[in-house]
Amino acid sequence: MAMLWKFMRVAKYSKTALSSKVKVRGIPTHSRHSSSKSVPSDFAATSPCSNTVELLGKSYPQDDYSNVTDKILSKVGKNLHNRKHHPLWLIKEQVKEHFYKHYLGRRGTPLFSVYDGLSPVVTVQQNFDSLLIPQNHASRRKEDNYYLNRDHMLRAHTSAHQWDLIHSGLDAFLAVGDVYRRDTIDNTHYPVFHQMEGVRLFSCHELFSSIKDGEGLQLFEQGHRTAHKQECHTMEAVRLVEFNLKQVLTKLMTHIFGDGLQVRWVDCYFPFTHPSFEMEINFQGEWMEVLGCGVMEQQLVNSAGAQDKIGWAFGLGLERLAMILYDIPDIRLFWSEDERFLKQFIGPHIWQKIKFQPLSRYPPLINDISFWLPSETYSQNDFYDLVRTIGGDLIEKVVLLDEFAHPKTKKVSHCYRIIYRHPERTLTQDEVHHIHQAIEESAVRELGVEGRF
């Protein structure tokens, strides 16, 4: 939702794309309520067909859209949100407990079901079409997503499961999982991160039963679309859904971060929610966006078989919340296997106050790279993805320092600064030199640039 649509551009590489010899074994989990089962992440170096990849027990033929790298596949199945005592698991469990405790059905059972073991492999139809994302929408681009082929991909958001879960008859659920995006490189962005999707649908009786003289109010009308409502919704229904959504999320954030938390709402637009909003919280004097939400598009709800209901949806990033709550400065740390990091989050209960203690601030090593761009088919994130593929988690940040257009030839040159820093040890200039040289050679070979090394 808010964070769901800040896609960045990156292109496919013929040399670094998905190896035909990668095979991942495992069975995706699916549960009515919470499950802590994970998808295994063991790899074998065989494949039944040179043009096929086996992932989570299924085979996917590769085509011109296949662009998942081996490095990204090594993350599939890690399921950090289900790893006990991991900071992402702590955030997930806190949100779960809040919803289980405060939102109960008529029989006293939790109103919201939780799904945290759904397969990250989805169809393009699930990821885009079911959410009414237009065919020409920028978020569909191969440069922005990890495709297995033209029909299947690693989900770019947990919203990919909305339609299926509503179609199964659910009115209230949370879906949690790892999502995959081609992205920029800095301490808050990573190509794999974790999201939680929330959906709540209301019947006419559920929405208006507590309203005085609400018997005559209706969910739907034959009206017109405005900045504040969809054409099929009555204004009364939209206002109540919007109020309920903001109330639910404000209570959730206050529960996580404590009383006195300042919250503000910013109007925005997402293709599958209208009206829609971003929530920002004031943390240590700085306003930070933590989630996006909105009134669900009725066409989506209707197509999933809930024609007589209206609803809201939200999406939040677990890393964003954990970095704020625990004061974790670098998103790469969530993938650390260092016991000095992991042991800090072991406690007697999920609500224990924890402030991350830095392992050490190892010195950075900085190298610049300059090259002339090819005349066509270059985007800045092409280079970012190549750098991340070669350098992995040794790359802390990549910054475009300078852009120069030659006055005579009209050729354009980019100069990037690459900051190398290992989160757990000191790097040597020698090992960084070899990585930097490999980046230079790959940029020429894969991107068609002309080096100025």
Side-chain angles (χ1 to χ4, degrees):
M1 313 255 332
M3 293 156 278
L4 312 189
W5 290 106
K6 293 187 176 173
F7 286 90
M8 299 294 178
R9 299 181 59 206
V10 177
K12 167 194 172 187
Y13 308 113
S14 58
K15 299 289 185 182
T16 58
L18 173 63
S19 167
S20 60
K21 294 185 178 182
V22 173
K23 179 179 179 181
V24 186
R25 298 191 299 272
I27 301 175
T29 62
H30 180 277
S31 62
R32 171 68 186 180
H33 286 284
S34 175
S35 168
S36 295
K37 296 180 180 179
S38 300
V39 180
S41 183
D42 47 324
F43 291 77
T46 59
S47 178
C49 175
S50 60
N51 295 318
T52 301
V53 60
E54 289 197 7
L55 181 61
L56 304 181
K58 295 184 179 181
S59 297
Y60 300 93
Q62 298 184 64
D63 56 27
D64 61 327
Y65 253 62
S66 304
N67 66 352
V68 184
T69 64
D70 293 350
K71 192 168 292 291
I72 294 300
L73 280 179
S74 71
K75 307 293 185 181
V76 175
K78 296 293 186 181
N79 292 333
L80 300 182
H81 61 288
N82 287 335
R83 182 174 179 177
K84 193 171 183 180
H85 299 301
H86 191 279
L88 298 180
W89 175 85
L90 290 173
I91 290 289
K92 182 198 72 171
E93 292 298 310
Q94 289 178 23
V95 176
K96 271 175 51 181
E97 183 178 284
H98 175 77
F99 275 89
Y100 280 174
K101 180 179 180 180
H102 294 279
Y103 303 98
L104 303 176
R106 286 179 292 180
R107 298 183 179 180
T109 56
L111 181 66
F112 283 81
S113 298
V114 177
Y115 295 83
D116 58 9
L118 299 172
S119 173
V121 178
V122 297
T123 64
V124 172
Q125 195 278 334
Q126 288 175 300
N127 201 78
F128 296 121
D129 298 337
S130 70
L131 298 171
L132 312 179
I133 308 302
Q135 287 290 332
N136 61 350
H137 197 274
S139 63
R140 289 178 178 258
R141 292 178 303 199
K142 184 169 65 172
E143 291 83 356
D144 297 328
N145 301 283
Y146 288 105
Y147 284 93
L148 294 173
N149 52 42
R150 284 185 172 270
D151 298 319
H152 295 86
M153 63 189 298
L154 296 177
R155 62 188 169 206
H157 45 212
T158 46
S159 304
H161 303 292
Q162 273 187 15
W163 192 95
D164 291 326
L165 293 174
I166 294 174
H167 188 65
S168 71
L170 297 177
D171 289 340
F173 58 84
L174 304 174
V176 194
D178 44 331
V179 298
Y180 298 78
R181 305 247 191 93
R182 295 192 160 198
D183 222 333
T184 189
I185 302 176
D186 57 36
N187 67 333
T188 63
H189 291 86
Y190 202 78
V192 189
F193 56 103
H194 298 74
Q195 283 185 342
M196 174 177 286
E197 191 82 10
V199 169
R200 174 78 193 276
L201 300 181
F202 301 88
S203 66
C204 186
H205 173 73
E206 289 171 326
L207 192 61
F208 297 128
S209 61
S210 60
I211 303 300
K212 183 178 180 181
D213 300 323
E215 297 82 2
L217 299 178
Q218 300 295 321
L219 296 179
F220 307 111
E221 68 174 10
Q222 296 299 319
H224 59 280
R225 195 179 187 94
T226 71
H228 306 289
K229 75 178 195 68
Q230 299 174 41
E231 58 272 26
C232 55
H233 292 157
T234 65
M235 184 58 74
E236 295 85 359
V238 171
R239 290 303 188 198
L240 282 174
V241 170
E242 178 185 326
F243 175 77
N244 181 268
L245 170 61
K246 291 182 176 180
Q247 187 180 51
V248 166
L249 293 175
T250 300
K251 287 181 177 179
L252 173 63
M253 291 299 121
T254 301
H255 199 61
I256 291 176
F257 294 103
D259 294 330
L261 180 73
Q262 291 180 281
V263 172
R264 71 182 182 189
W265 298 93
V266 180
D267 292 348
C268 56
Y269 174 75
F270 305 117
F272 49 93
T273 54
H274 180 79
S276 50
F277 316 92
E278 292 177 350
M279 173 191 266
E280 296 179 348
I281 66 171
N282 193 308
F283 191 78
Q284 297 180 347
E286 181 181 354
W287 286 100
M288 289 179 274
E289 170 204 321
V290 293
L291 58 83
C293 59
V295 179
M296 295 187 71
E297 284 289 333
Q298 196 61 37
Q299 184 181 341
L300 187 162
V301 176
N302 291 348
S303 67
Q307 297 89 338
D308 58 342
K309 296 179 180 179
I310 184 175
W312 52 247
F314 71 80
L316 58 85
L318 298 186
E319 277 87 349
R320 175 64 60 85
L321 296 183
M323 291 179 79
I324 296 173
L325 183 62
Y326 301 128
D327 201 18
I328 298 174
D330 193 324
I331 197 170
R332 294 176 299 166
L333 285 166
F334 291 104
W335 296 90
S336 175
E337 294 294 336
D338 193 322
E339 287 298 314
R340 293 175 299 168
F341 172 77
L342 297 173
K343 284 183 177 179
Q344 293 189 40
F345 301 94
I346 298 176
H349 55 80
I350 61 175
W351 297 102
Q352 181 178 349
K353 297 292 184 181
I354 298 172
K355 181 176 174 60
F356 171 67
Q357 300 299 317
L359 310 182
S360 179
R361 193 57 173 171
Y362 298 100
L365 292 177
I366 298 173
N367 285 262
D368 294 345
I369 179 173
S370 299
F371 46 75
W372 296 104
L373 306 187
S375 57
E376 298 177 354
T377 66
Y378 178 86
S379 70
Q380 200 167 311
N381 275 21
D382 293 349
F383 180 64
Y384 292 158
D385 200 49
L386 182 146
V387 170
R388 195 187 290 279
T389 298
I390 296 173
D393 287 350
L394 300 186
I395 309 297
E396 180 177 77
K397 191 173 185 178
V398 178
V399 181
L400 177 62
L401 282 184
D402 181 63
E403 185 173 356
F404 168 73
H406 195 283
K408 292 184 178 180
T409 65
K410 306 302 180 184
K411 293 176 65 175
V412 176
S413 170
H414 277 189
C415 177
Y416 294 91
R417 172 155 294 171
I418 304 178
I419 302 174
Y420 298 84
R421 192 198 314 254
H422 198 293
E424 299 165 3
R425 65 178 176 84
T426 299
L427 292 173
T428 67
Q429 186 61 60
D430 185 58
E431 62 182 315
V432 168
H433 171 73
H434 289 297
I435 297 171
H436 197 75
Q437 187 175 35
I439 291 172
E440 292 175 337
E441 295 171 354
S442 294
V444 172
R445 184 176 64 251
E446 304 294 345
L447 304 182
V449 303
E450 181 184 342
R452 303 179 67 186
F453 314 138

